[in-house]
Amino acid sequence: MKFLKTTVWAILICLSFQGFAKNTEDKKQANPREIWTKEQAKEWYAKQGWLVGADFLPSTAINQLEMFQAADFDTTTINRELGWASKIGMNTMRVYLHDLLFQEDSAGFVKRLDAFLTIAEKHKIKPLFVLFDSCWDPFPKLGTQRAPKPGVHNSGWVQSPGLEALKDSTQYPRLERYVKGTVAAFANDNRVLAWDIWNEPDNPNTSSYGNVELLNKVDYVIPLLAKAFVWARSVNPSQPLTAGVWNGNWESHETLTPIEKVMIDQSDIITFHNYEDAADFEKRIKQLQQYGRPMICTEYMSRGNGSFFKGSLPIAKRYNVGAINWGLVSGKSQTIYPWDSWKKTYTSEPDLWFHDIFRQDGTPYKKDEVDLIKKLTSAK
């Protein structure tokens, strides 16, 4: 009888604690933190130092699924390649995640993210994680990913969520669990730099998958983008939230499209993409200064399009704008080939790489570029 009473009390205490924890969590999510003030954003940014890095995918992965699936999670390559980045002064990486990874095995996915962060921390690199992405293949599938199409830029990259999930609002609860669960797991983790809610949410993929994309894709994306910001903010992350504008007229808030207004208005810090020449890069920075918030360019450097380290990176430093270029190591993503490789046939490595910095053996594609990055990141 004494044992039974003790057991009953233990169960009641446990249930009481669980109820308290649930109530605390409910209250926490019912009162999500506000969008940071400009002052809060500037205070955070001042602690980071000048941010320089790359959009990172290990050379052995074709897309974000292959990067983080249990069967393909290649910590050896990740460790080696982040080491090369660290040696040239890079201190951040922009890394894409995927909702299907969380759906398949949320605990395993979070465990692999933690392992990735441990490797990154060893190299003094703080990643910026991307939750959703509207670029390339709209039909993602878990499991063994297809082999790269020879000579084609990002031939295996996949969208998150895929087209079927995007147009099906009954999948919102699943996507909500993904956002909240992923962000909450690292909401107070100093190893995480920031959360990029959605990469190029209004990208129509005209040159690659335009013929199978939703005609009114943006109409589906806008409400989900707005919800995703709220979901992420509801778990009170200590890191900033953002979504980067990448195309259009940024002269004033009034010239923004409706989706761009959501991206700007919901962001704690301003992020943007620029694959144009140095003059255009500087013009875009000046346009975005009107919001009075710290800025990070989360995609730039496309040599074949006139965007070079020597043009954009010194400007970024002068304005104290973070700079994250597309691509670190040439590999299965094949982003050394230009965007037009979806329409034009390439049978050998292009003389002028479109993206990426290193070959798979660690030698730089252009030594003068690596020297410039080292020089700018080491100078006070």
Side-chain angles (χ1 to χ4, degrees):
M1 181 65 72
K2 183 177 181 181
F3 173 77
L4 179 61
K5 288 181 179 179
T6 302
T7 302
V8 170
W9 274 111
I11 292 172
L12 289 173
I13 290 169
C14 182
L15 290 173
S16 176
F17 175 78
Q18 289 177 349
F20 172 78
K22 185 179 184 304
N23 288 336
T24 301
E25 185 63 24
D26 288 345
K27 288 177 182 177
K28 186 177 179 182
Q29 295 193 9
N31 298 288
R33 73 160 172 82
E34 299 293 326
I35 299 168
W36 282 357
T37 64
K38 295 175 184 179
E39 291 69 31
Q40 286 175 307
K42 289 175 181 177
E43 182 181 356
W44 168 85
Y45 194 64
K47 297 174 183 176
Q48 307 308 316
W50 185 43
L51 295 164
V52 179
D55 285 80
F56 178 69
L57 182 72
S59 60
T60 51
I62 195 170
N63 59 28
Q64 59 276 57
L65 291 176
E66 194 166 48
M67 178 176 180
F68 283 112
Q69 285 183 150
D72 307 300
F73 187 46
D74 186 355
T75 55
T76 300
T77 299
I78 289 170
N79 179 59
R80 180 173 62 250
E81 294 179 355
L82 290 186
W84 297 338
S86 179
K87 285 180 181 178
I88 63 173
M90 289 184 164
N91 55 12
T92 188
M93 291 284 136
R94 185 167 177 251
V95 178
Y96 288 73
L97 311 181
H98 203 286
D99 62 278
L100 293 181
L101 294 164
F102 189 90
Q103 179 186 24
E104 178 189 42
D105 176 15
S106 58
F109 174 54
V110 168
K111 184 177 179 180
R112 290 188 290 280
L113 282 184
D114 181 71
F116 175 81
L117 287 168
T118 298
I119 296 170
E121 184 182 35
K122 183 177 76 171
H123 297 292
K124 297 181 172 59
I125 287 172
K126 294 179 69 172
L128 183 163
F129 286 131
V130 185
L131 295 171
F132 293 124
D133 182 13
S134 283
C135 293
W136 308 108
D137 189 347
F139 303 104
K141 293 180 181 179
L142 292 166
T144 301
Q145 300 299 294
R146 61 176 177 265
K149 296 177 183 177
V152 178
H153 178 110
N154 253 340
S155 66
W157 197 269
V158 291
Q159 295 186 36
S160 174
L163 183 151
E164 297 302 328
L166 179 62
K167 69 178 184 179
D168 181 6
S169 61
T170 66
Q171 295 207 36
Y172 279 15
R174 176 181 73 80
L175 298 174
E176 180 179 1
R177 289 192 294 274
Y178 160 60
V179 173
K180 288 183 175 180
T182 304
V183 177
F186 303 99
N188 294 297
D189 196 322
N190 290 329
R191 298 174 299 174
V192 175
L193 179 72
W195 300 96
D196 192 335
I197 299 298
W198 203 311
N199 178 66
E200 299 189 358
D202 51 340
N203 194 316
N205 291 302
T206 304
S207 64
S208 54
Y209 293 92
N211 61 328
V212 294
E213 279 280 17
L214 290 168
L215 294 178
N216 54 339
K217 182 178 179 178
V218 173
D219 293 338
Y220 289 95
V221 173
I222 288 179
L224 188 53
L225 171 64
K227 287 178 181 294
F229 266 107
V230 173
W231 294 337
R233 196 167 280 118
S234 75
V235 296
N236 294 292
S238 60
Q239 310 93 349
L241 308 182
T242 189
V245 289
W246 66 283
N247 193 24
N249 184 349
W250 309 341
E251 289 181 6
S252 70
H253 194 266
E254 288 67 36
T255 61
L256 299 177
T257 63
I259 196 167
E260 287 171 340
K261 288 178 180 177
V262 174
M263 295 161 77
I264 292 289
D265 294 347
Q266 292 295 315
S267 289
D268 298 312
I269 60 172
I270 301 298
T271 54
F272 69 100
H273 297 173
N274 184 271
Y275 285 119
E276 305 301 328
D277 62 21
D280 190 79
F281 185 82
E282 185 170 19
K283 181 186 79 172
R284 292 298 200 171
I285 290 174
K286 289 181 176 179
Q287 288 176 338
L288 295 173
Q289 284 179 327
Q290 65 186 290
Y291 299 105
R293 292 177 179 270
M295 276 186 271
I296 304 173
C297 178
T298 51
E299 289 187 29
Y300 79 104
M301 208 288 289
S302 50
R303 300 178 187 91
N305 208 49
S307 175
F308 296 93
F309 286 113
K310 65 182 179 182
S312 299
L313 198 55
I315 293 171
K317 181 159 191 177
R318 189 188 321 149
Y319 286 91
N320 193 27
V321 170
I324 301 175
N325 71 279
W326 187 275
L328 185 67
V329 182
S330 173
K332 291 176 75 173
S333 67
Q334 299 182 154
T335 52
I336 64 171
Y337 295 94
W339 296 318
D340 70 9
S341 58
W342 282 85
K343 304 293 184 183
K344 179 181 176 181
T345 301
Y346 289 81
T347 57
S348 61
E349 177 184 306
D351 291 334
L352 184 67
W353 281 15
F354 202 70
H355 297 313
D356 300 322
I357 299 171
F358 294 103
R359 298 184 183 276
Q360 282 185 274
D361 64 0
T363 58
Y365 164 62
K366 286 185 177 292
K367 186 177 182 299
D368 62 324
E369 291 180 340
V370 169
D371 290 343
L372 175 66
I373 296 169
K374 283 182 179 179
K375 179 181 178 182
L376 292 174
T377 54
S378 62
K380 299 300 182 184

